[in-house]
Structure formats: structure tokens, C-alpha cells
Amino acid sequence: MRLGDDYYDDYHMTQTFSPKLRQYLDELVSHFLVTHTDEIYSVLDVGCGDGVFMMPWRDRGISVQGIEPSDRSRAIAQQQGFTVQAGYMTPHTTMSSAPFDLFITRQVLEHVDDIHGFFHGIRANTTSEAWGIIEVPRLEKAHQDLRFYDFFPDHVNYFSFDTLRSVCETHGFEVHELRAGMDDEYNIAIVRKRTPRPWQEMHRHRKDLVRDLEDLIDSHPAGVAIWGAGAKGLSIMSAMHSTNIAMVVDSDPNKIGRYTTVSELLVQDPAALATGDISAVVITAVAYQDKIVAKLRDMCFPGRIYFIGAQGLIPQ
């Protein structure tokens, strides 16, 4: 279900008047700063409403800025001296004071129809190691107490602990804490932006490994064999420019007698190593390296044996 873009323009839910809520939020901020980190200098409140969750951060001298689509709620927050940008959090949203050390979002995620775009925008406006506090209505409570009145037309998502964890992790955040709050009414997730995996390093490793394999082949004119005609071995061979691989062997009878793709080499039984003039074997079947080495020893293979690992070619 998708609500109209103007649905929240006049949406209004005043919360600043409630002493109980303000105490709860103040305790939530204290818990976070004591339990997780006190190195927070700037906070982004996504869907800040009338500014109720911005107050305890400002009270501690921490800079806080909000974004809010509701004209009425935004006006109340601005009257209290907060900087609040109009609009929704989308992949194209740019906050004037970005990047922020922490994002907070209370009672918002259940309203968001484009969760992927929502988190994309948050990631774009926060630092590389930013923290986050996400609060949503507690689905477990609705189930437990048969609360049919907890389901509203403008709530397009509902979150248990499991689904809240899943949506956070799916969008690049590690979940450091999950707990219920406000008398078991809310689910709270404390998250931190996950560092992207270093794929550039893998690309460099690919180039280095291919170079080392080709150097090995050039330095063993007697011949280098590849043991492993499975997907990993074929992937490695397809990355190589050298056509001087002397032999490909594999223990799988379903591969023996067939040809590899790309390099078009005949896959032979490992027994062929004893009859060929092979001076080195590179094992690409990484899951079976120890077993293959043992088999080569049993065959009294006289040449060099190499594993493939994170360090490149590893002589045995």
C-alpha cells in the first residue's frame, strides 16, 4: 500500500506535552550514551514531528537537526528553535548539515512504503561509522494482547524483533541492541553502519594471483597442472592469459574426459600426473586441499605443490 505524497502534509501528533514520554526519551538517550558511545556530536532526527526527541540531545549540548513532512509538526519544532528541513527521507535527500554521527527515527519506519530508499537516504547523510536509534510499535504486544486497534491504514509495515533486525541488517546496519521500551509498547533497535566490504582488495588479489600463476607456469617449463575442474578452478583459469597449462585433473568421474570452458583443456584422471612430465601442481579445489595433498603424497608426486589462499600461491 502507498499513501499519497501529500498524506502527511497536515499530519499532526503532538507529543512534547507528555512528561512521561519526555522522561522515557531522556532515559533512552542516557542509556545510549552510557552503554554504546558518548562520542556523538551531531544528530539527525528523521521524521522529527514536533521535536520531542530532539530535546534531550540539545539539553546535552549535542547538535540536532530534523526532517519532517508535516507542516504543522515542523512549525512547532521550529518554534522551539530547532532546524527542521521539509520533506521525506529518500535516496535523493540531502541534509544541510550532513554527515551526522547518529540518526534517530521514532514511530516512522512503520509509515515508510519505500524502506530501501529510506535507508539509502540515511546512509548518504551519515558518517561512515554512524550509529542509529530506531523505534517502532511493538508487534509482539499487539499479538499478545489481541490489540486489533494497533493496525492503522497509515501503518504500512509492522515489526517484531526478528523483522526489525532483518530490515536493519539488510540495509547495511549492524544491530547492537534490541529491546522493548515504554512499558513494552515499542521495539527499539540500536544500530551502527556496517563498513562496506573491501571489494577493491579482492580485485587487486585477483590480479596478483593471476600474475603469480602465470609466473609459476613460465618458471616451470616442464609443466604445471591444475587440480580442480570445478567452478572455482574454472573461474581462476578463465582469468588467466596463459595458454601453457600442461594438464587439468579432477577426481570427479563426471568431469574426467570432458573439456573445460574457456581454456578448453581436457580434464584427466589424477593418475595422469604420474605419466606426464609435470613439475608442479596448483590445487584450486580449495575445500579438498588436504585430501588432495595426501593423495599426491601417496602417488609419490615429486614436484612442487601449491595451495590458493588469501596470501596468493602458498607452497606446501
Side-chain angles (χ1 to χ4, degrees), residues 41-245:
Y41 304 100
S42 60
V43 176
L44 169 62
D45 190 342
V46 182
C48 64
D50 62 5
V52 65
F53 199 19
M54 303 170 81
M55 294 177 178
W57 301 98
R58 183 173 65 181
D59 291 345
R60 290 164 172 79
I62 297 172
S63 173
V64 57
Q65 180 177 340
I67 179 170
E68 171 58 46
S70 167
D71 295 336
R72 295 178 65 189
S73 295
R74 187 171 63 253
I76 295 173
Q78 290 171 334
Q79 288 169 9
Q80 299 178 84
F82 292 113
T83 299
V84 183
Q85 182 170 311
Y88 297 86
M89 181 56 67
T90 75
H92 312 294
T93 300
T94 300
M95 301 298 298
S96 60
S97 299
F100 296 87
D101 302 316
L102 168 73
F103 75 91
I104 56 178
T105 184
R106 292 191 59 250
Q107 307 297 308
V108 171
L109 198 58
E110 65 273 17
H111 298 266
V112 177
D113 65 312
D114 180 12
I115 290 181
H116 178 72
F118 181 81
F119 277 108
H120 184 92
I122 286 175
R123 291 186 63 86
N125 285 280
T126 52
T127 61
S128 60
E129 296 184 340
W131 288 86
I133 302 176
I134 302 170
E135 181 198 275
V136 293
R138 181 164 166 76
L139 182 59
E140 294 90 339
K141 184 71 170 177
H143 283 162
Q144 174 187 317
D145 293 350
L146 307 178
R147 291 163 56 154
F148 65 89
Y149 44 85
D150 275 351
F151 297 88
F152 315 133
D154 54 319
H155 285 191
V156 296
N157 308 297
Y158 295 87
F159 297 96
S160 64
F161 275 161
D162 289 341
T163 54
L164 184 56
R165 176 185 292 277
S166 178
V167 76
C168 292
E169 291 178 344
T170 299
H171 291 93
F173 292 90
E174 297 175 347
V175 178
H176 285 246
E177 182 181 354
L178 273 176
R179 64 188 179 93
M182 193 65 171
D183 299 330
D184 211 32
E185 290 289 329
Y186 307 146
N187 280 340
I188 304 163
I190 308 297
V191 303
R192 194 172 194 185
K193 189 185 285 189
R194 187 167 56 234
T195 303
R197 296 185 183 277
W199 295 110
Q200 297 87 347
E201 184 178 342
M202 183 178 290
H203 179 65
R204 288 194 298 270
H205 177 68
R206 175 183 179 274
K207 293 174 62 177
D208 292 345
L209 178 61
V210 168
R211 181 200 62 221
D212 292 346
L213 280 167
E214 293 178 341
D215 288 348
L216 178 70
I217 290 171
D218 292 342
S219 65
H220 285 74
V224 173
I226 302 293
W227 188 315
K232 293 180 176 62
L234 296 178
S235 179
I236 292 170
M237 285 186 280
S238 68
M240 297 170 60
H241 302 292
S242 176
T243 58
N244 296 323
I245 298 172

Side-chain angles (χ1 to χ4, degrees), residues 224-292:
V224 173
I226 302 293
W227 188 315
K232 293 180 176 62
L234 296 178
S235 179
I236 292 170
M237 285 186 280
S238 68
M240 297 170 60
H241 302 292
S242 176
T243 58
N244 296 323
I245 298 172
M247 185 183 299
V248 176
V249 302
D250 200 290
S251 300
D252 185 349
N254 296 299
K255 296 184 175 72
I256 295 170
R258 298 178 181 271
Y259 287 85
T260 64
T261 57
V262 184
S263 53
E264 298 182 345
L265 293 167
L266 178 66
V267 180
Q268 302 184 55
D269 187 285
L273 291 171
T275 59
D277 191 14
I278 302 298
S279 60
V281 171
V282 177
I283 301 172
T284 61
V286 295
Y288 304 98
Q289 290 176 145
D290 293 341
K291 296 291 186 182
I292 293 172

